[in-house]
Each structure stands twice: as C-alpha cells, then as structure tokens.
Amino acid sequence: MRPGWTHALAALAALGTLLSGCAHRRVPDDVTAAPPCFEGGAPAPQDQAIRWLGPDDPDDRAKLDAWCWGVGPAYQTRGDEVAVASGVDSIAVVAWNVAVGGGDARRLIDDLRTGRLTGGQPPEHFVILLQEAHRTGSAVPQHIPTWAAAAGAIRKSPPAGGRLDVTALAWVEGLHLFYVPSMRNGGPGQGAPEDRGNAILSTLPLTGLTAVELPYERQRRVAVFANVEGRSSTGEPWRLRVVSAHLDNRAALSRIHRSFGAAQSNQARGLLSALDGETPTVVGGDLNTWYRETNAGAVRILQARFASVEDHPPGGTADLPLFLPDVKLDHLFFGLPDSWDARYEVAEDRYGSDHKPLVGWVSMAGTDIRTRTVDRDRL
C-alpha cells in the first residue's frame, strides 16, 4: 500500500484536474429518435446480433445518449480462423490501454506470436483486451448535433510508424475483432472524425457479443464481452468469456467527492451485474484506480467475484502527471473452475503507450502453469 502522503498529494492533483471539468451534456427532451450508435444496418451473413445492456434511469440515459450521438455503431469482423479450435489446453490473455493510437499494437502482437512477450513460449492462441482503441473512417459521423458530447482529442502515434485504427489492425493481423466506441475522440475543429472505446482481438472466433453501458459518472463507458471456445487435447469442450473494461478516472464536477473511488466502484458494480451465469471469465482493463490502487473499491468488488488468482504481481502499470508515477491502474481478474489455472505478469515494455500490458495465461487442462519458468527479463 502506498504511503498516506502519496494519497493526499494524489487527491490534490485530482482536484485540480476536476475543477477544469465541464457541465453534463444531455439529449434534449424533444429528440425522440434513437441514437444511431446502436444501429449497425443489416448485418452481413457472418455477423452476429449484439446484445446491449445498460442503465434504465431516464436521467442517466439522457446523458449517455448525448455521448452516443457522437460515435459510430459497434463493429465486428472475422479473422483468418473460423472453425472451433481443437487440442487447445491454454490461451494467453493480454489487457492493455493502447493510448488512442500511441501504442505499437503490431509490435506487441508480433512479440506475442514469437514468444518474446511470454518468456520464450509462443501461445497457440491469444486474446487481447484493448482500452482506448480508436476508429477512423466513414462509420464515424461526419457531423453531430450541437448538444452531443465529445471527449477532448487524443491523437498519439507509436514510436515507429503511423497510427493504425483498430479495424485496420484486425485486418492486417488476421484477427477476429469486436469493437464498441464509448465516445467521440475530439469535438468540432479537432481533426478528422474518430471515436474511441474498448475492443477484443482474438485468434479464435468471438461469439456472444455483448456491449454494456456502465452507470454514468463523467463520460460514457461501454464494456465489451465475448466468448472464445475450443476443445482440449483430451477432446473436452471449453468456453471462456473475456471482458474488456475502462472505468472513469474521475466523477463529474457536480459530484466531485465521488472521484476518490465511489465512481469507479459504482461502475464496477454495473459491470458485475451484467456478468450473469457461471461461465469461466477473465475481466481485464484500465480501472483508473489511482486512489488506493489494489485496495480500491472497484478492485475489491471484482476480486470478490473473480478470485481464481490470489497472488497479483506487484508494481505499477502507468505513470500519471504530478505525484503519481508507477501507479497501478490496470488489472486482470479470473473466475475459473477449480480444475483450471491462471497467472499473469506486468510487461516492462509499454510499446509506446503510457500503460504497460498485462500478460496472462489460462490453462484448461488442470496444469499448474504457475510453476512454468518465465524469463522475467523479457516481461
């Protein structure tokens, strides 16, 4: 746990940021049309219907929909592999905030495929849970209503090469993709239309696509769920639900006091309420737990439900301005059958992002993968 003075300084820094916040945007009462972000047109033959969940409170809905009017629809695409995989006893799961194009995702994927990111053992299959993925192109509305909400533009580039949006990334890497934008990336006059949100990339087909709008705190946040499945080397079928989530880093100015954990806890409870059933599950993402870190309420809420991993790696995952270097914002949680096993590490290479990836492994074969030798110099 960090010393008390660090928490106090963090609180002062957050207060300064909060005072620069803006008022809530909301859909006017005379607008009766449904937000276009929920529309995807007629799905292609291979597309799946997306299940949408979210708050029913009318006030929350008016605020969330104001953000929704600024983004394009959810996006899905199939990668190179479409059949159910067999002989798969384990899968790698990476959670990473890609910094709205600043992270070199292609280099990270190459390091996954070659084993440089996994201690010299290339995984046969992997899932990447992305936060702050971005999309460009005609799917993003060219013009939005004056009352629609938009986030400030973040337009970073990786250390080498140009920005690559998440749809192009999936295409060039041959990966399955499910992407749901949470917010518009920049308002009028802040560059070409873009949106940003959470995504799941996978070498295995994605099914059970679900988008969950979290309770409103300051910005619209949409968590994404999907299932991957296969058969083990003994022929046993397995299914794993994977979740990519990004919580608000602070509350709105009108409820500034919620910025010190209550906002994130509220959104974590909203996420948890959508995770019904007993499906084996991995939840990963940027929970913005700058205050209290691993002792934050959002972490305790999720860890109580997804407690298959008790020993979490030490150290921070991101650097924040002023007094918060090397703070733990990113987390992985595993809710698995007793016969399965899981572990994860914090990678040292940020790949151009301001966040370090979390690299995990799930074994469905009952092998204790915690005893596997890992070259920590490569992590």
Side-chain angles (χ1 to χ4, degrees):
M1 185 174 179
R2 289 179 175 271
W5 65 266
T6 304
H7 291 148
L9 291 172
L12 291 174
L15 280 170
T17 304
L18 282 159
L19 291 174
S20 64
C22 60
H24 298 296
R25 296 288 187 97
R26 54 186 300 124
V27 176
D29 293 338
D30 59 354
V31 175
T32 58
C37 65
F38 296 117
E39 301 172 2
Q46 71 273 19
D47 287 350
Q48 306 172 59
I50 297 170
R51 180 188 181 208
W52 282 89
L53 302 172
D56 294 324
D57 178 78
D59 186 59
D60 266 14
R61 277 262 51 95
K63 294 169 184 173
L64 289 168
D65 286 353
W67 291 88
C68 200
W69 276 88
V71 303
Y75 180 86
Q76 59 178 299
T77 188
R78 289 183 176 268
D80 291 342
E81 182 165 338
V82 296
V84 174
S86 61
V88 178
D89 293 328
S90 65
I91 187 170
V93 180
V94 175
W96 188 36
N97 183 319
V98 75
V100 199
D104 190 344
R106 294 207 69 189
R107 185 164 69 86
L108 178 138
I109 291 170
D110 183 64
D111 283 358
L112 257 180
R113 285 176 161 153
T114 59
R116 286 191 293 269
L117 192 60
T118 52
Q121 298 183 351
E124 183 179 358
H125 289 287
F126 60 81
V127 172
I128 304 176
L129 310 174
L130 291 181
Q131 300 83 52
E132 289 195 353
H134 78 286
R135 173 179 59 180
T136 61
S138 60
V140 185
Q142 184 71 29
H143 304 287
I144 61 174
T146 56
W147 41 259
I154 301 175
R155 308 209 177 214
K156 298 180 180 180
S157 295
R163 296 175 82 223
L164 190 66
D165 90 336
V166 71
T167 64
L169 174 66
W171 185 81
V172 298
E173 294 292 345
L175 296 173
H176 302 271
L177 168 67
F178 178 40
Y179 164 73
V180 180
S182 292
M183 63 194 74
R184 192 176 185 87
N185 186 36
Q190 291 188 294
E194 290 187 0
D195 52 28
R196 68 187 200 232
N198 294 325
I200 300 172
L201 291 164
S202 174
T203 56
L204 295 172
L206 300 170
T207 61
L209 306 183
T210 303
V212 180
E213 289 182 294
L214 301 181
Y216 179 80
E217 290 291 342
R218 190 180 74 93
Q219 295 177 319
R220 181 172 179 260
R221 301 286 178 173
V222 185
V224 291
F225 306 177
N227 298 324
V228 292
E229 56 189 87
R231 290 184 177 274
S232 70
S233 56
T234 61
E236 291 295 318
W238 57 262
R239 173 178 292 174
L240 179 67
R241 177 170 55 187
V242 291
V243 181
S244 178
H246 191 184
L247 308 186
D248 270 323
N249 62 353
R250 57 191 186 273
L253 184 59
S254 61
R255 41 192 182 191
I256 187 173
H257 61 284
R258 296 180 57 79
S259 296
F260 304 100
Q264 294 90 342
S265 294
N266 185 39
Q267 291 181 330
R269 283 190 288 268
L271 175 65
L272 197 61
S273 68
L275 290 167
D276 54 357
E278 300 298 324
T279 303
T281 299
V282 178
V283 178
D286 177 0
L287 303 191
N288 271 310
T289 48
W290 55 268
Y291 184 69
R292 301 194 71 195
E293 300 179 62
T294 56
N295 291 312
V299 173
R300 296 198 305 270
I301 288 166
L302 291 170
Q303 181 64 16
R305 169 78 177 274
F306 304 109
S308 295
V309 170
E310 296 181 358
D311 298 325
H312 297 268
T317 63
D319 288 334
L320 294 181
L322 300 178
F323 305 105
L324 288 172
D326 200 34
V327 64
K328 196 173 190 69
L329 302 183
D330 308 273
H331 305 266
L332 269 173
F333 305 95
F334 303 82
L336 308 173
D338 291 340
S339 60
W340 293 24
D341 193 59
R343 64 182 295 274
Y344 75 99
E345 303 281 349
V346 180
E348 289 301 323
D349 192 335
R350 298 175 188 268
Y351 293 89
S353 174
D354 52 353
H355 290 248
K356 298 175 181 178
L358 305 181
V359 185
W361 298 264
V362 176
S363 170
M364 305 84 168
T367 303
D368 186 357
I369 57 177
R370 285 172 295 187
T371 63
R372 182 169 58 187
T373 300
V374 176
D375 182 354
R376 294 182 180 271
D377 291 336
R378 296 179 183 270
L379 293 174

